[in-house]
Amino acid sequence: GQNIDQPTEMTATEGAIVQINCTYQTSGFNGLFWYQQHAGEAPTFLSYNVLDGLEEKGRFSSFLSRSKGYSYLLLKELQMKDSASYLCAVRVAGGYNKLIFGAGTRLAVHP
Amino acid sequence: NAGVMQNPRHLVRRRGQEARLRCSPMKGHSHVYWYRQLPEEGLKFMVYLQKENIIDESGMPKERFSAEFPKEGPSILRIQQVVRGDSAAYFCASSPPRQGNYGYTFGSGTRLTVV
């Protein structure tokens, strides 16, 4: 079976740092993705991890531990525009590009 | 290079009518994926298609739902005899044949409302 867990909601203050966790149990693993989705809009790609460790991209970083089935997305210097849902997705093995998504974490950034 | 194009953006149907959702992938992308998103929920995989082939339809409801990706033209997600529970946002995504480090490119979605 496929199971991807994320917290439902988080709140943070403008300028702060927030970490959004994701745990997964899937039949096969071939990469983990984070997407951002603003209300009423399409998801947009943020980051990709396939090997253990940290990937940094500007204010956003993503970490993966395959042995623990665990990832996190780290957002630094939070801005109001970062208020959105953050979706964790696993690409299952099998030779093609199918992604299984978690339910998403709604992040509210307050002044 | 246009992104993934979905239309219509909004669609209202009465119970029992048919809904047709269209998706044109990005140029160079031959793989199309359809997802459904209920309010306040995540994206649920429905079907994965390549040109003229359904590769994985494990997320499609057994009845009333069908999908195609013909040799020419957009991919179509068809819902027959819609019911209120079909109201959702339907997102299409596309990718090139090879696996990459960016996953999908999503369209803006079609928001279906059944009244």
Side-chain angles (χ1 to χ4, degrees):
Chain A
Q2 323 281 19
N3 195 38
I4 301 174
D5 289 320
Q6 314 176 226
T8 303
E9 293 183 346
M10 298 183 70
T11 60
T13 304
E14 194 175 16
I17 300 173
V18 70
Q19 177 175 313
I20 303 174
N21 296 323
C22 171
T23 57
Y24 62 90
Q25 293 172 307
T26 56
S27 54
F29 176 85
N30 195 15
L32 188 140
F33 298 79
W34 285 94
Y35 283 80
Q36 181 191 59
Q37 185 179 27
H38 285 99
E41 298 184 10
T44 55
F45 169 77
L46 285 179
S47 70
Y48 167 73
N49 296 71
V50 68
L51 300 176
D52 290 352
L54 190 68
E55 293 285 339
E56 297 186 82
K57 189 186 293 185
R59 294 190 298 115
F60 294 0
S61 304
S62 56
F63 172 83
L64 175 67
S65 169
R66 288 172 297 171
S67 62
K68 295 180 180 177
Y70 168 68
S71 172
Y72 68 72
L73 179 69
L74 194 70
L75 292 75
K76 304 175 187 176
E77 301 170 14
L78 281 171
Q79 302 174 9
M80 298 297 289
K81 68 178 182 179
D82 297 328
S83 293
S85 287
Y86 292 86
L87 311 178
C88 173
V90 171
R91 182 164 61 198
V92 297
Y96 60 84
N97 214 7
K98 177 179 175 179
L99 300 188
I100 303 298
F101 283 82
T105 299
R106 285 192 301 280
L107 174 66
V109 180
H110 298 292
Chain B
N1 186 15
V4 178
M5 305 301 292
Q6 286 190 252
N7 64 81
R9 189 74 189 268
H10 298 276
L11 182 62
V12 179
R13 284 288 177 265
R14 296 186 183 279
R15 281 180 294 172
Q17 290 184 319
E18 178 179 288
R20 279 182 174 247
L21 289 62
R22 289 176 290 277
C23 169
S24 295
M26 281 185 68
K27 186 176 181 180
H29 287 191
S30 56
H31 295 202
V32 166
Y33 313 80
W34 286 94
Y35 285 78
R36 176 163 62 177
Q37 188 173 40
L38 294 170
E40 308 299 320
E41 294 189 11
L43 293 161
K44 300 294 186 186
F45 171 79
M46 299 182 75
V47 62
Y48 160 45
L49 309 105
Q50 296 176 19
K51 285 282 188 182
E52 299 184 281
N53 281 305
I54 297 175
I55 306 303
D56 182 341
E57 56 182 349
S58 57
M60 288 279 272
K62 294 290 185 272
E63 298 178 349
R64 302 188 297 107
F65 285 72
S66 62
E68 63 176 4
F69 190 13
K71 186 176 181 181
E72 301 291 338
S75 175
I76 306 288
L77 179 68
R78 182 183 178 203
I79 311 172
Q80 295 177 290
Q81 299 172 355
V82 296
V83 301
R84 289 231 170 98
D86 297 332
S87 295
Y90 292 83
F91 288 96
C92 168
S94 72
S95 74
R98 68 190 182 285
Q99 292 185 359
N101 60 357
Y102 55 86
Y104 301 154
T105 302
F106 280 92
S108 297
T110 293
R111 280 141 190 88
L112 172 66
T113 302
V114 179
V115 297

